[in-house]
Amino acid sequence: MIEKMGELKLIATPQSFYCARIQWALKLKGVEYEFIEEDLLNKSPLLLKSNPAYKKVPTILYHGKPLAESLIILEYIDQVWKHYPLLPHDPSDKAIARSSAFADEKLYTVEVWEAFKSEGEKKEKAIKAAVESLATVEKQIEGKKFFGGEKIGYLDFVYGWLAHWLNVMEEVGSMKLLDKGSFPSLHHWCLNFINNPIIRKSIPSRENLVEYLKGSLRYHRALAGANKN
Ligand SMILES: N[C@@H](CCC(=O)N[C@@H](CS)C(=O)NCC(=O)O)C(=O)O
């Protein structure tokens, strides 16, 4: 199914890895879309109307119909544009991939973000939890090129943040989670994934991400300071 420009719109920000997931899927499938850049500090009426519950990016509009949440959008894309399947066909493999994505939510949004933004004992505790979770991801990728086998697919998009964003978070947040020696298979996967030309094209530059994450860290630390008073 070839799309005319404008039938599929992606409301997104260039720095968000959740948004990169969607761009990777659309580009690998060769689906045309319009990228509408959102200002998260001054959200657009289009985003507020399209995703009234969470007001987050990515949100897509397909023939005017809105859909939010990156994992749900990925599955939807896979069902509408069936060539180059992203999720496994087998129900059990599909459920396993979905549950792995569920675990990734905890790893990224709870453990890694906590390690990134906090300090002292709280930071150390979060680093320990994140490293334990990473060990289970290391087991999943051992002996494989990509999470689903030989081709990039759903779980590679889910874990895509490990291949680019994490390294910048480690630098800005003064921490080390993905140590090459402890996680050789994951490290190898990161290189395989990020060196794919389609994936590489839809990632923010390191400099841009450093600035963005420094801003995020200032914001979170200021908020934590204000909450103490
Ligand atoms: N669970 C959501 C998370 C999306 C998300 O957190 N997006 C961030 C940008 S990275 C956002 O829109 N933040 C704006 C806000 O929280 O107000 C998904 O997978 O799409």
Side-chain angles (χ1 to χ4, degrees), residues 3-9 32-34 61-64:
E3 286 307 322
K4 284 200 202 105
M5 197 67 175
E7 281 172 354
L8 177 63
K9 298 180 200 296
E32 273 196 35
Y33 62 97
E34 184 185 342
L61 287 152
Y62 185 44
H63 294 282

Side-chain angles (χ1 to χ4, degrees), residues 16 18 21 40 43 55-58 69-71 105 212:
S16 160
Y18 294 109
R21 281 176 175 168
L40 290 178
K43 292 180 181 169
K55 308 173 182 64
K56 290 188 181 195
V57 293
E69 283 299 313
S70 63
L71 297 177
E105 270 300 294
Y212 176 79

Side-chain angles (χ1 to χ4, degrees), residues 77-98:
I77 289 172
D78 210 26
Q79 277 170 4
V80 175
W81 295 279
K82 291 194 189 298
H83 58 284
Y84 196 99
L86 301 174
L87 273 143
H89 183 68
D90 175 75
S92 152
D93 291 344
K94 196 183 276 187
I96 290 170
R98 280 203 193 108

Side-chain angles (χ1 to χ4, degrees), residues 121-167:
E121 210 177 301
K122 224 172 166 188
K123 190 179 194 81
E124 291 313 312
K125 224 173 133 188
I127 290 177
K128 193 167 173 274
V131 169
E132 275 171 20
S133 298
L134 281 172
T136 68
V137 188
E138 169 78 6
K139 281 209 189 88
Q140 281 181 65
I141 193 67
E142 249 166 33
K144 289 195 268 181
K145 187 167 181 193
F146 297 110
F147 281 90
E150 281 304 300
K151 272 167 56 195
I152 289 180
Y154 174 80
L155 273 186
D156 302 293
F157 298 155
V158 166
Y159 288 114
W161 60 274
L162 287 166
H164 183 58
W165 284 257
L166 179 61
N167 187 260

Side-chain angles (χ1 to χ4, degrees), residues 12-13 15-19 21-22 38 40-41 43 47 51 54-59 68-73 105 108-109 113 165 212:
T13 62
Q15 297 85 8
S16 160
F17 101 85
Y18 294 109
C19 298
R21 281 176 175 168
I22 310 305
E38 183 64 32
L40 290 178
L41 297 176
K43 292 180 181 169
L47 178 66
N51 185 356
Y54 288 109
K55 308 173 182 64
K56 290 188 181 195
V57 293
T59 294
E69 283 299 313
S70 63
L71 297 177
I72 295 173
I73 299 172
E105 270 300 294
Y108 179 73
T109 58
W113 262 91
W165 284 257
Y212 176 79

